[in-house]
Amino acid sequence: MVLMRARTQRGERRTDALSKERIVEAAIEILDTEGESALTFRALAARLATGAGAIYWHVANKDELLAAATDQVVAGVLTEVVSGAEPRDAIRSMALGVFDAIDAHPWVGAQLSREPWQPAIVRILEGIGGRLEALGVPQKAQFNCVSALVNYILGLAGQYAAGARLLPRDTDRTAFLGTVATRWTQLDPAEYPFVHRMAAQLADHDDREQFLAGIDLILVGIRSVR
Amino acid sequence: MVLMRARTQRGERRTDALSKERIVEAAIEILDTEGESALTFRALAARLATGAGAIYWHVANKDELLAAATDQVVAGVLTEVVSGAEPRDAIRSMALGVFDAIDAHPWVGAQLSREPWQPAIVRILEGIGGRLEALGVPQKAQFNCVSALVNYILGLAGQYAAGARLLPRDTDRTAFLGTVATRWTQLDPAEYPFVHRMAAQLADHDDREQFLAGIDLILVGIRSVR
DNA sequence: ACCTGAACACCGTTCAAGT
DNA sequence: ACCTGAACACCGTTCAAGT
C-alpha cells in the first residue's frame, strides 16, 4: 500500500484514474462527435465510467471545462505556425488556422465569443498582435489593429458556430451558406436590395478564400497606419 | 358577446390581452433590468400575469422570442441614421448605433452572434452594405467589405456581452475593460509580451473611440478596393 | 485524496383541460 | 381562439457518504 502511494506520487498514474486532461479529452470527443448540446456532466460521467460529481473534483464547472477544451484546440493550431515566417504571412496562417479549427470543431467558435479573458483568446491576441511590431505598426496603434483582426475572426467564428448549432450535424460550411442564401432570397427585394444581391454571390463562393480576403482588407488598412 | 367579438376583431384589442408585441416588450424589460439569465418563461408568465404555456400561443420558442427582442432594439437604432448622410458617415453612425445598443442592452450582443439569419443581422448587413455602392466599391468586392465591417462589430459585440454576462450587473464597460486588463497583467510577461503591453493601454482608453478607430481602419482598407 | 450517486433547484416545452 | 398550470424530460451543481 505504501509502495503504491509512492508510485502514483511519482507520476506513474493509473490509466483509469481521473484527471483534468482525461476529462477535457473526453469532453472534446463528445463535442466533436455528438455536438455541443450532447455535452452534459451526466454524459461525460458515463463515458468516463464515473459519477457526475467526480468531475467537479478536477474541474470547477462547465465554463472552465469548455474553456480548457477550446484552449487545447486553439493552442494546437497556433503553435503550428512557423516562427520564422514573414509577419504578414504568419498573421494570415494563424487566422486561417483558427478558421479551420472552427470548421472542424464548431463549438470552438461558440466558446471563443463567450469569455473575453479565456486562455484561447489571449493566445490568439498574442500570436497575431505580436507580429504587428515587425510590420512597422507603432505601439499606440497596435491595439486598434489587433482588435480589428481578432474581432473580425471572432465575429465570423460566432456566425459559423451558430449555423452549425442550428443546422443538422452533417451540414458543412458550404451547405450552411446555401441555407443562409436561400433565406436572404426570400426577403422583400425592395426592402433588402443589397442582401438580395449578395445572396447570389454567397451560394457559390469559396468561403475560406472569402475569409482571407477580409483579413487582407484589414491588413491593407493596417499598412496605412504605419 | 357578438358585439365584443366584432370590436376586438376590428383591432381594438383589450389592453390586458396577450400579444407577441406585449410579450416581447415584457421580455426586453426583464432582460434590461435583471439580465439575460433572469428571462425564463416562468418569470415572463408571472410578469404578464398568465401561465407559462400561454406564451407559446404567440411565440414559437425562446429563440424566436430573443430574436424578436433583438430585432426591435436594432431596428430602432438603424432607422435613426439620416438617409441623406455621406455614406462613410452613415456607416460610422450605424456601427456606433449598434455599439451603443449593445452597451445599453448587453443581451443584444450575445443574441447577435447566435443566429446568422435573424432579422437584426440582415438589417445591419443591408444598412451598412447598402452604402458601399455609393462609396465606389465594385459589386464583386462588396461582400468582402460588408463582411469585414459587420463581423468586426459582431466580434466585439460578443466579447462585451460575455463580459456583461459574467461580471456583476452594475459593471460598466470601462470597469469591464479594467477587469480584463488586470487579468492580462497577471499573465507571464515572457510568454505574453504583447498582451502585457496592451494591458497598460486598455485600462485608460475610450473604448467607443477605440471601436470607431477599428471601423476607420477597415474603411481605409475598403477605400483601396475601389 | 478522490470518488459515488442521490438529491436539489432549477430549466424549456407540451398538453389535457378549461373558457 | 386563446389561456391555464400541472407534468415531462431534462439540466448544472452540491454534498453526505463511502474508499
Side-chain angles (χ1 to χ4, degrees):
Chain A
M1 255 318 194
V2 173
L3 275 174
M4 269 189 69
R5 173 168 289 266
R7 267 214 201 113
T8 53
Q9 276 189 339
R10 277 201 49 234
E12 299 165 290
R13 58 169 75 86
R14 289 148 51 215
T15 351
D16 62 324
L18 226 48
S19 68
K20 187 166 174 179
E21 297 90 71
R22 274 196 68 219
I23 293 170
V24 169
E25 189 189 336
I28 291 178
E29 274 171 36
I30 293 176
L31 288 163
D32 282 347
T33 56
E34 295 168 74
E36 229 175 313
S37 63
L39 183 68
T40 67
F41 276 78
R42 273 165 251 259
L44 194 53
R47 179 176 283 246
L48 292 164
T50 183
I55 296 168
Y56 283 89
W57 185 263
H58 303 273
V59 164
N61 50 40
K62 198 172 179 178
D63 276 346
E64 191 191 298
L65 178 60
L66 280 168
T70 302
D71 188 44
Q72 181 156 309
V73 171
V74 169
V77 160
L78 292 185
T79 49
E80 275 175 20
V81 177
V82 210
S83 64
E86 194 269 331
R88 195 168 277 107
D89 285 343
I91 290 176
R92 291 173 107 248
S93 70
M94 280 185 288
L96 215 47
V98 176
F99 183 81
D100 288 339
I102 291 159
D103 185 35
H105 320 272
W107 51 272
V108 168
Q111 177 57 24
L112 285 176
S113 45
R114 204 172 283 155
E115 259 188 8
W117 40 70
Q118 67 182 309
I121 294 281
V122 180
R123 251 182 237 279
I124 297 172
L125 282 172
E126 182 68 35
I128 289 180
R131 313 290 171 131
L132 293 174
E133 189 77 41
L135 222 55
V137 178
Q139 295 259 0
K140 280 194 146 187
Q142 288 181 12
F143 194 94
N144 290 347
C145 293
V146 79
S147 163
L149 283 167
V150 172
N151 281 316
Y152 168 70
I153 296 171
L154 296 182
L156 207 106
Q159 297 294 304
Y160 277 136
R165 193 169 44 239
L166 268 40
L167 265 30
R169 194 159 18 274
D170 57 339
T171 320
D172 65 359
R173 226 166 43 218
T174 312
F176 158 66
L177 290 170
T179 308
V180 175
T182 305
R183 304 230 186 188
W184 285 0
T185 314
Q186 287 156 1
L187 296 166
D188 177 8
E191 208 176 342
Y192 295 99
F194 175 78
V195 174
H196 255 265
R197 265 183 286 138
M198 290 307 107
Q201 292 186 35
L202 193 59
D204 54 11
H205 80 319
D206 181 345
D207 50 338
R208 210 159 167 273
E209 211 171 88
Q210 159 94 48
F211 169 72
L212 262 189
I215 294 287
D216 287 338
L217 196 67
I218 300 174
L219 282 173
V220 168
I222 289 176
R223 179 173 243 148
S224 79
V225 171
R226 202 170 33 177
Chain B
M1 256 318 192
V2 174
L3 274 173
M4 271 190 64
R5 171 167 288 268
R7 267 210 200 113
T8 53
Q9 277 190 338
R10 275 201 50 235
E12 298 164 289
R13 56 169 76 85
R14 290 145 55 211
T15 350
D16 62 325
L18 227 46
S19 67
K20 186 167 175 179
E21 297 89 73
R22 275 197 67 217
I23 292 170
V24 169
E25 189 188 336
I28 291 177
E29 275 172 34
I30 292 176
L31 288 163
D32 282 346
T33 57
E34 295 169 73
E36 227 175 314
S37 62
L39 182 68
T40 66
F41 276 78
R42 273 165 251 260
L44 194 54
R47 178 174 283 247
L48 292 164
T50 182
I55 296 166
Y56 284 90
W57 185 263
H58 302 274
V59 164
N61 50 41
K62 199 173 180 179
D63 277 345
E64 191 192 299
L65 178 60
L66 280 168
T70 302
D71 189 45
Q72 181 157 307
V73 172
V74 170
V77 160
L78 292 185
T79 49
E80 274 174 21
V81 177
V82 211
S83 63
E86 194 268 329
R88 194 169 277 105
D89 285 343
I91 290 176
R92 290 173 108 250
S93 69
M94 280 185 289
L96 214 48
V98 175
F99 183 82
D100 288 339
I102 290 159
D103 186 36
H105 320 272
W107 52 271
V108 167
Q111 176 58 25
L112 284 177
S113 46
R114 205 171 285 154
E115 259 188 7
W117 42 69
Q118 68 182 309
I121 294 281
V122 179
R123 251 185 238 278
I124 297 172
L125 283 172
E126 182 68 36
I128 290 181
R131 312 290 170 131
L132 293 174
E133 189 76 41
L135 224 54
V137 179
Q139 295 260 0
K140 280 195 146 185
Q142 289 181 11
F143 193 93
N144 290 346
C145 294
V146 80
S147 162
L149 284 166
V150 172
N151 281 316
Y152 168 71
I153 297 171
L154 295 183
L156 207 108
Q159 297 295 304
Y160 277 138
R165 193 168 44 238
L166 266 41
L167 266 29
R169 193 159 19 276
D170 56 341
T171 321
D172 65 358
R173 225 166 41 219
T174 312
F176 156 66
L177 290 171
T179 307
V180 176
T182 305
R183 305 230 184 187
W184 285 359
T185 315
Q186 287 157 1
L187 296 167
D188 177 10
E191 208 176 344
Y192 296 98
F194 174 79
V195 173
H196 255 266
R197 266 184 284 138
M198 290 307 107
Q201 292 187 35
L202 193 60
D204 54 12
H205 79 318
D206 182 344
D207 50 339
R208 213 160 166 272
E209 214 170 84
Q210 160 97 49
F211 168 72
L212 261 189
I215 294 286
D216 286 339
L217 196 67
I218 300 174
L219 282 173
V220 169
I222 289 176
R223 182 176 240 148
S224 78
V225 172
R226 201 171 33 178

